[in-house]
Amino acid sequence: MDIQLFGYNDFVLLKTSNSKYGVSRLCGNMVCSPVYDYIYQFSEYVFAVETNRKVGFMNIKGEIVIPIEYDSLSCRNDKYYKFSNGRAKVVKCLDGDYYEYYIDHYGNQISMKSFIDIDNDYYSDDKMLDDYGNSLDAFEGDEMNRWNID
């Protein structure tokens, strides 16, 4: 089993010989056993987890808090987007076309969908908007902070 420090050096990424990933605390407490195809870097109290070519998010207790239903995390210049300022950029295939948009820590879409033309590497701009089309702050209206379980 391969082991590496992960997530602000408080977590350890575990990789089995059959390429399954899990996470443990540095102190030895298991967060999740190695069952995922990949686990992305920790940010804002969640890990992005991938299984069967779908991505979702797990909290530091090992609980899935955003369903594993996205086709991928958005990636630009080999940098995967993770949660930052209360949002993460994800990609989802809808009716054969790929779209990327931001979600909040509850899995709610908080920006307009942007079409991705994978063949031509085209990405349209997206903005965070509220229900009325106004610009939205990532934390606006979020009083529960569900992902912060410390």
Side-chain angles (χ1 to χ4, degrees), residues 89-108:
K89 191 176 269 190
V90 294
V91 175
K92 197 166 195 177
C93 182
L94 301 169
D95 297 325
D97 291 324
Y98 287 90
Y99 296 88
E100 66 179 3
Y101 52 92
Y102 286 106
I103 59 170
D104 64 15
H105 277 275
Y106 305 98
N108 299 318

Side-chain angles (χ1 to χ4, degrees), residues 11 23-32:
F11 298 97
V23 175
S24 173
R25 290 257 187 190
L26 195 55
C27 64
N29 295 340
M30 186 67 74
V31 174
C32 75

Side-chain angles (χ1 to χ4, degrees), residues 3 7 11 17 22 28-29 32 34 36 39 47-48 57 66 80 84 95 98 106 108 113 115 126 137 143:
I3 298 173
F11 298 97
S17 58
N29 295 340
C32 75
Y36 296 103
I39 298 178
F47 299 92
F57 294 88
I66 297 177
Y80 285 96
S84 177
D95 297 325
Y98 287 90
Y106 305 98
N108 299 318
K113 291 183 181 80
F115 176 73
D126 58 342
D137 178 350
E143 300 167 5

